[in-house]
């Protein structure tokens, strides 16, 4: 191995290292991560928004099933495959294809889009605290209450501080929220259906057809307060496009690069079908039921008002937790994105800077329109993902050279810039002129970008062969992988043992009691008032036990890591 290759390896920033073999993770972690990120604050808003689409219940159920299936396939066969074959973050991978200068442009676009999503999570959480403090619902695009602004500022400051101080513990605690959030939506459905029956005078549900008829009559009845009347194709498109930035846009590469096998991409089904199918349906029932009980149009309600009406303080806790699990990982992604552009700013300082900007944006209730934010973010970055997908999968099959721009030593891929720019103009132009609905723009944009980039790249040098450059890159990548493996050979895995394991058993016992209380309430054994009081106590008990277990495990892991020689932990003075 040449000294030049070794010098390049040692000079490579840690963020550009491939995942070491010992860092690869089992499928259980991905089930928890997808559950934590996709059973979140946006579900309360999107589920209610779907009620306003003017669809029938069949349109919603069929559309969400098919659209989420397409999303799972994209997560698995696009994002997970590239991630496990390269073991790189999206940013490092983009650097190879786009060149460093164009990659920085992408990071700014992505960071701005994610900032809007993080602001949505904080603002949605604030609707729960708003309800506790009896602050008026914010119906305008701008805040009309100083108290609401104060709530957002405090909440944003807390979330930013937590992300800056201890993201590892925060991210792990987010995964402990998953079982409770799943139970919350399940129990919430059981408790809400009797309230819907009472409010509408509908007879009891004796069969699946009765349930579907109830949904068609009082939830998705084809009418819309907003004037929209969309069909099953629009619902399919929305479910598929909702996470466009993460699957076709490849923004889940940083997480999926840790998967032992690309098939772990199927774990995304947990998020898609529990979060983006079941939770959206339940949230739709929540919204319709609360609107009927309060005799108020759904467009005049926020998540805090809806969940408190149906579930009491447990519902408010759900909104707060969901907003927190949305904002925390999103802010972390934003910081990583902007740190690539502003490399001289420390990660902690960047967290405080972006946290402040995001918190100010969260003061404006218009950011709570999470469905629009997600779709527009996907439209903005889809073209970049399509370019990477074409270069990774298509180019080797048509005789083009993958990473040709890197081999030509260019830090700006002009064909990629043109194709990506055209994709943005094309998609936003068609949507804003009303030629095509935003939920249906994914496929035509994909085809246009793929064809345009392939043609332009072929003309710019992708048709040529670069044997010497490829051999050099292969030697460097192999040496870098060996180096990463060496640096992580003494890693201490996160484990749950002893007292922590016992606390987790207690926590899940409490969670089982929470589910049982919901079942008893649905059967009329417990009154709704008793359930609301009991459920908040059980919910807090679950988080106290699970939180304590996490703290004990983190301290044990940190203690064991402290015994490792510092040079191994930091990556200094090691030889591959």
């Amino acid at each position: 191995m040449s000294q030049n290759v070794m010098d390049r390896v040692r000079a490579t920033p840690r963020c550009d290292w491939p995942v070491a073999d010992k860092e690869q993770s089992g499928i259980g972690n991905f089930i928890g991560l997808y559950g934590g990120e996709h059973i979140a604050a946006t579900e309360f808003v999107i589920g209610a928004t779907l009620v306003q689409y003017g669809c029938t219940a069949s349109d919603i159920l069929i559309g969400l099933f098919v659209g989420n299936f397409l999303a799972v396939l994209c997560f698995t066969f696009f994002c997970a495959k590239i991630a496990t074959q390269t073991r790189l973050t999206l940013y490092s991978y983009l650097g190879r294809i786009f060149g460093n200068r164009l990659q920085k442009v992408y990071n700014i676009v992505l960071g701005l889009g994610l900032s809007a999503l993080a602001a949505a999570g904080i603002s949605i959480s604030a609707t729960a605290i708003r309800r506790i403090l009896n602050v008026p619902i914010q119906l305008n695009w701008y805040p009309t209450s100083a108290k609401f602004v104060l709530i957002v500022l405090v909440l944003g400051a807390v979330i930013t501080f937590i992300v800056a101080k201890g993201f590892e513990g925060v991210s792990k605690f987010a995964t402990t929220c998953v079982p409770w959030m799943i139970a919350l939506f399940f129990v919430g459905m059981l408790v809400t259906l009797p309230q819907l029956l009472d409010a509408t005078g509908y007879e009891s549900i004796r069969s699946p057809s009765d349930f579907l008829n109830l949904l068609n009559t009082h939830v998705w009845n084809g009418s819309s307060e907003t004037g929209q009347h969309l069909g099953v194709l629009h619902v399919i498109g929305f479910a598929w496009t909702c996470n466009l930035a993460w699957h076709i846009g490849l923004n889940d590469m940083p997480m999926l690069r840790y998967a032992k096998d690309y098939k772990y991409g199927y774990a995304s089904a947990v998020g898609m079908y529990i979060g983006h199918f079941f939770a959206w349906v339940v949230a739709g029932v929540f919204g319709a039921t609360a609107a009927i009980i309060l005799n108020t149009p759904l467009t005049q309600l926020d998540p805090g008002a809806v969940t408190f009406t149906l579930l009491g303080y447990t519902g408010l806790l759900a909104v707060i937790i969901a907003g927190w699990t949305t904002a925390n990982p999103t802010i972390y992604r934003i910081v990583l994105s902007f740190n690539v552009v502003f490399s001289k700013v420390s990660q902690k300082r960047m967290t405080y800077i972006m946290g402040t900007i995001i918190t100010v944006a969260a003061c404006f209730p218009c950011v709570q329109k999470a469905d629009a934010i997600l779709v527009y973010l996907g439209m903005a970055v889809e073209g970049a993902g399509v370019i990477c997908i074409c270069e990774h999968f298509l180019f080797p099959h048509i005789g083009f050279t993958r990473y040709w721009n890197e081999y030509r030593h260019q830090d700006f891929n002009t064909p990629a810039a043109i194709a990506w720019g055209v994709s943005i103009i094309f998609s936003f132009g068609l949507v804003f002129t009303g030629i095509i609905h935003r939920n249906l723009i994914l496929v035509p944009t994909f085809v246009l970008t793929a064809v345009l980039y392939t043609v332009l790249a072929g003309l710019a040098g992708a048709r040529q062969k670069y044997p010497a450059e490829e051999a050099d890159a292969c030697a460097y990548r192999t040496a870098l992988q060996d180096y990463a493996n060496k640096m992580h050979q003494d890693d201490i895995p996160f484990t749950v043992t002893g007292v922590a394991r016992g606390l987790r058993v207690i926590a899940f016992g409490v969670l089982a009691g929470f589910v049982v209380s919901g079942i008893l309430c649905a059967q009329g054994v417990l009154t709704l008032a008793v359930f609301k009081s009991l459920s908040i106590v059980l919910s807090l008990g679950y988080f106290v036990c699970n939180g304590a277990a996490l703290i004990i495990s983190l301290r044990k892991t940190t203690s064991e890591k402290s015994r490792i020689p510092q040079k191994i932990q930091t990556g200094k003075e090691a030889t591959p």
Side-chain angles (χ1 to χ4, degrees):
M1 189 177 300
S2 69
Q3 185 61 40
N4 180 49
V5 170
M6 291 308 307
D7 290 341
R8 288 178 61 195
V9 167
R10 291 192 177 96
T12 301
R14 182 179 287 267
C15 61
D16 287 333
W17 290 6
V19 169
D21 294 343
K22 196 168 183 178
E23 289 183 291
Q24 295 179 25
S25 184
I27 194 170
N29 284 335
F30 295 94
I31 291 174
L33 287 168
Y34 274 107
E37 188 165 358
H38 298 282
I39 308 174
T42 52
E43 275 50 87
F44 289 102
V45 175
I46 292 172
T49 301
L50 291 175
V51 174
Q52 302 167 36
Y53 266 24
C55 301
T56 65
S58 298
D59 290 337
I60 293 294
L61 297 177
I62 295 172
L64 292 183
F65 183 86
V66 175
N68 284 308
F69 178 72
L70 294 172
V72 170
L73 293 182
C74 291
F75 272 117
T76 305
F77 292 100
F78 288 149
C79 192
K81 269 202 168 183
I82 295 177
T84 54
Q85 288 174 8
T86 65
R87 299 293 177 190
L88 298 173
T89 65
L90 173 62
Y91 311 124
S92 297
Y93 184 69
L94 275 176
R96 302 196 68 186
I97 294 177
F98 273 36
N100 292 331
R101 283 197 296 162
L102 185 57
Q103 175 210 5
K104 291 179 178 179
V105 175
Y106 174 88
N107 283 26
I108 292 174
V109 172
L110 175 66
L112 292 175
L114 290 177
S115 296
L117 182 60
I122 295 173
S123 192
I124 291 169
S125 281
T127 67
I129 302 175
R130 173 207 66 75
R131 180 58 187 78
I132 296 174
L133 300 179
N134 292 318
V135 176
I137 295 176
Q138 303 296 290
L139 300 176
N140 296 317
W141 67 268
Y142 54 88
T144 57
S145 169
K147 289 184 179 180
F148 180 79
V149 172
L150 181 61
I151 291 169
V152 171
L153 293 177
V154 172
L155 191 60
V158 171
I159 290 174
T160 300
F161 180 80
I162 291 174
V163 174
K165 292 296 183 181
F167 182 77
E168 180 182 8
V170 171
S171 63
K172 291 186 182 301
F173 185 70
T175 64
T176 69
C177 297
V178 176
W180 183 81
M181 288 297 295
I182 294 174
L184 181 281
F185 278 106
F186 173 70
V187 169
M189 182 66 131
L190 293 179
V191 173
T192 299
L193 282 177
Q195 298 181 65
L196 179 59
L197 295 176
D198 290 342
T200 59
Y202 195 88
E203 296 181 1
S204 61
I205 301 173
R206 298 186 179 88
S207 66
S209 61
D210 287 341
F211 179 62
L212 184 62
N213 186 54
L214 173 66
L215 298 182
N216 272 317
T217 304
H218 296 293
V219 182
W220 296 285
N221 55 15
S223 63
S224 172
E225 298 170 4
T226 63
Q228 289 191 95
H229 292 279
L230 307 180
V232 66
L233 287 179
H234 294 87
V235 180
I236 291 173
F238 176 72
W240 190 10
T241 306
C242 182
N243 281 116
L244 178 57
W246 282 262
H247 49 71
I248 291 178
L250 304 181
N251 273 287
D252 263 3
M253 274 184 64
M255 178 173 70
L256 287 168
R257 66 189 176 125
Y258 289 96
K260 292 181 179 179
D261 190 282
Y262 83 89
K263 293 179 183 177
Y264 287 11
Y266 286 122
S268 61
V270 174
M272 298 306 100
Y273 282 99
I274 297 179
H276 294 182
F277 182 88
F278 177 67
W280 284 356
V281 169
V282 173
V285 174
F286 282 178
T289 304
I292 293 171
I293 291 174
L294 297 173
N295 193 28
T296 304
L298 185 53
T299 53
Q300 304 295 305
L301 300 175
D302 62 17
V306 169
T307 56
F308 184 79
T309 299
L310 304 172
L311 304 174
Y313 287 102
T314 302
L316 297 183
L317 179 63
V319 175
I320 294 171
I321 292 291
W324 181 73
T325 58
T326 296
N328 271 293
T330 305
I331 292 175
Y332 184 70
R333 281 193 176 108
I334 293 165
V335 171
L336 290 179
S337 181
F338 279 113
N339 264 144
V340 174
V341 182
F342 306 101
S343 57
K344 294 183 180 180
V345 181
S346 70
Q347 183 169 319
K348 180 175 288 189
R349 180 174 294 182
M350 183 62 72
T351 301
Y352 287 127
I353 292 172
M354 294 311 302
T356 301
I357 295 172
I358 290 165
T359 300
V360 171
C363 294
F364 294 83
C366 60
V367 300
Q368 294 176 23
K369 297 185 179 298
D371 59 321
I373 292 172
L374 288 167
V375 173
Y376 291 141
L377 173 60
M379 289 165 54
V381 302
E382 177 189 2
V386 172
I387 290 167
C388 294
I389 290 168
C390 285
E391 186 143 335
H392 194 90
F393 294 110
L394 177 63
F395 278 22
H397 290 288
I398 62 176
F400 283 21
T401 299
R402 186 191 293 170
Y403 310 129
W404 63 275
N405 187 71
E406 178 186 49
Y407 299 152
R408 293 173 70 90
H409 307 291
Q410 299 175 154
D411 62 358
F412 191 89
N413 186 333
T414 301
I418 294 173
W420 182 29
V422 169
S423 75
I424 293 175
I425 295 171
F426 174 79
S427 58
F428 280 90
L430 291 184
V431 169
F432 287 150
T433 56
I435 295 175
I436 188 170
H437 193 276
R438 69 191 186 201
N439 293 1
L440 305 177
I441 197 65
L442 186 159
V443 174
T445 302
F446 190 109
V447 173
L448 172 66
T449 308
V451 172
L452 183 59
Y453 178 66
T454 302
V455 172
L456 294 177
L459 295 174
R463 293 176 182 270
Q464 300 175 23
K465 302 301 180 183
Y466 306 87
E469 289 81 359
E470 283 189 273
D472 180 64
C474 182
Y476 164 68
R477 294 290 167 185
T478 300
L480 187 60
Q481 182 68 67
D482 292 341
Y483 186 76
N485 289 341
K486 179 70 174 179
M487 301 313 300
H488 288 278
Q489 64 181 358
D490 295 315
D491 280 1
I492 301 297
F494 176 82
T495 54
V496 179
T497 58
V499 176
R501 190 180 298 276
L503 286 170
R504 292 192 66 180
V505 170
I506 295 173
F508 280 96
V510 173
L511 186 63
F514 173 68
V515 174
V516 170
S517 70
I519 294 173
L520 294 177
C521 180
Q523 293 177 339
V525 177
L526 292 179
T527 65
L528 182 59
V530 171
F531 165 77
K532 288 181 178 180
S533 299
L534 180 60
S535 65
I536 187 62
V537 173
L538 293 173
S539 296
L540 293 175
Y542 169 81
F543 283 111
V544 168
C545 292
N546 233 337
L550 176 63
I551 292 171
I552 292 171
S553 299
L554 283 172
R555 286 181 176 176
K556 180 177 178 60
T557 304
T558 302
S559 176
E560 292 179 354
K561 283 182 178 181
S562 66
R563 302 172 187 172
I564 303 173
Q566 189 67 18
K567 67 179 182 180
I568 298 297
Q569 291 186 46
T570 61
K572 296 178 180 178
E573 302 177 11
T575 303

